Amino acid sequence: MPGSYTVFTHPVPKPLLFKKSSGPKGRRASVYSIILTGLVFGMISLGAEESVITTPKLKEMPENRAPETPDTWEFGARFGFGMRGPNRFDQNLNGFSSNLNPLVASQTKQENTRGSIQGEFLARTRLSENFKVGIIGGYRYFDPFHLTNLTSEPFYTKLNFEMESFYVLGMVWQEGRLNRYFRWETGLGLGITRALWVTKGYATNGKEYYQQNGNMRGSGLEFRLEGSLIHPINERVSLSFGTYLAWINITSFDGSFNGDTASFYIRQDGRLSPLTESTNQDNILLSNQYSRKLDMQSAYGGLFFGVNYKL
């Protein structure tokens, strides 16, 4: 009623915005919820742990690249060209004379480009990770060269020379990678060489004509240093191009000249001529000049191109 004062035995509940007082039942429910939450988390963690243990790992995918072919043996073919430096061999040829008498004047002119071409075959195997060992067999053809000689007798001589050589070298190569397209190689070798020297020409005194024919051979040593770049075409085939420096030492040339067993001899005065052994001994007795056989010590340099194949 208006104006009356009524005491409510049950207080009006407070809004939910405010903290609610917790009685015994509230505390019990909180404990139960904590226990239940712990059990749930424990089961979840146990299940996750079991899935980690039992789930197999994914196998790593191999790299997408072609396997390298093991190069136990490698064969190759090369073609090259080069030039021989001027040396004692050419200087001695400039002293050629058809007459060994020092009282007879003699003049010689030599024409020699000193060029050469060569073809080679190589076979090698891997010695270690960066080293290879093998052999090189090759054929070298020298540019033809000529000389003319005029003496005061008078006597005129013209000789045309052709020379070729065969060689076999034992080689060791070191290799490495330059970039994704090229590998580099350096090689060092030593072996034997055998040269064939053919002479064709004529000599005349104005009245008579003499054919001049010679066929001589010489053997010696050859040393080589080379460097090249290798470009692979596929797993087995590669191209190579590089440069080389060679040194040849042939002690003498022996064979036949105009049908007689002979060799080229050089006297102390520098005159050179093809002589038989007996004629050379007579010349030493008459002139009292020591003579020796013509040798060939020569350095060569050049370029080469090749194709290599791995088994």
Side-chain angles (χ1 to χ4, degrees):
M1 292 183 62
S4 65
Y5 179 78
T6 304
V7 177
F8 295 95
T9 58
H10 301 285
V12 178
K14 293 181 179 180
L16 294 177
L17 190 61
F18 297 94
K19 187 175 181 180
K20 188 178 180 180
S21 60
S22 59
K25 292 183 178 180
R27 285 195 298 272
R28 194 177 296 116
S30 298
V31 172
Y32 290 156
S33 64
I34 292 172
I35 294 173
L36 183 60
T37 302
L39 289 175
V40 172
F41 275 107
M43 292 176 66
I44 292 174
S45 62
L46 183 62
E49 212 174 290
E50 186 178 354
S51 67
V52 170
I53 295 174
T54 58
T55 303
K57 293 183 178 180
L58 293 176
K59 188 177 181 180
E60 295 182 359
M61 297 297 291
E63 295 183 6
N64 187 17
R65 73 178 175 187
E68 294 186 359
T69 304
D71 51 345
T72 53
W73 280 99
E74 184 177 7
F75 299 92
R78 291 176 174 179
F79 170 79
F81 56 91
M83 181 169 290
R84 179 172 58 87
N87 49 43
R88 191 171 66 180
F89 178 76
D90 301 293
Q91 295 173 359
N92 290 331
L93 285 178
N94 288 331
F96 179 88
S97 178
S98 61
N99 194 313
L100 294 179
N101 186 349
L103 300 178
V104 176
S106 176
Q107 183 179 6
T108 300
K109 181 180 179 181
Q110 182 185 176
E111 300 177 10
N112 191 350
T113 59
R114 300 191 303 273
S116 66
I117 59 175
Q118 64 188 38
E120 295 179 340
F121 172 80
L122 68 87
R124 60 187 181 183
T125 186
R126 186 168 293 281
L127 184 63
S128 63
E129 183 179 358
N130 295 322
F131 287 90
K132 295 179 181 180
V133 61
I135 60 172
I136 286 181
Y139 165 84
R140 180 181 291 116
Y141 178 77
F142 302 90
D143 288 349
F145 51 107
H146 324 273
L147 67 79
T148 56
N149 174 248
L150 180 63
T151 63
S152 59
E153 289 176 327
F155 210 82
Y156 177 81
T157 304
K158 181 175 179 60
L159 300 179
N160 302 313
F161 301 121
E162 293 182 1
M163 185 179 291
E164 57 191 37
S165 67
F166 304 89
Y167 52 91
V168 178
L169 308 176
M171 297 284 297
V172 176
W173 292 271
Q174 183 182 9
E175 66 171 2
R177 182 171 296 279
L178 184 63
N179 53 40
R180 60 182 297 184
Y181 300 106
F182 293 99
R183 299 181 66 87
W184 58 266
E185 281 187 353
T186 57
L188 186 66
L190 179 65
I192 59 174
T193 183
R194 183 167 178 81
L196 171 64
W197 187 1
V198 177
T199 303
K200 294 180 180 180
Y202 64 91
T204 180
N205 59 2
K207 298 180 181 179
E208 296 178 306
Y209 179 88
Y210 305 94
Q211 194 73 28
Q212 304 292 298
N213 293 313
N215 194 320
M216 298 185 181
R217 289 174 172 83
S219 300
L221 297 176
E222 181 168 342
F223 169 82
R224 173 183 290 195
L225 177 65
E226 69 177 35
S228 61
L229 292 177
I230 310 295
H231 175 63
I233 301 300
N234 54 37
E235 295 178 6
R236 295 186 181 275
V237 180
S238 61
L239 299 178
S240 65
F241 55 95
T243 183
Y244 72 92
L245 179 64
W247 180 78
I248 298 174
N249 181 19
I250 297 176
T251 55
S252 64
F253 293 91
D254 299 283
S256 64
F257 201 91
N258 292 337
D260 295 326
T261 302
S263 181
F264 279 92
Y265 285 90
I266 310 170
R267 298 200 318 175
Q268 286 179 285
D269 59 5
R271 294 202 175 193
L272 177 144
S273 182
L275 299 173
T276 63
E277 185 68 28
S278 59
T279 306
N280 179 57
Q281 294 297 328
D282 294 341
N283 176 66
I284 293 175
L285 293 175
L286 293 174
S287 63
N288 293 322
Q289 291 195 47
Y290 171 78
S291 63
R292 63 175 179 85
K293 291 183 178 181
L294 174 67
D295 63 345
M296 183 178 185
Q297 296 183 11
S298 184
Y300 289 84
L303 302 174
F304 65 84
F305 307 89
V307 179
N308 301 328
Y309 180 80
K310 296 179 182 178
L311 288 183

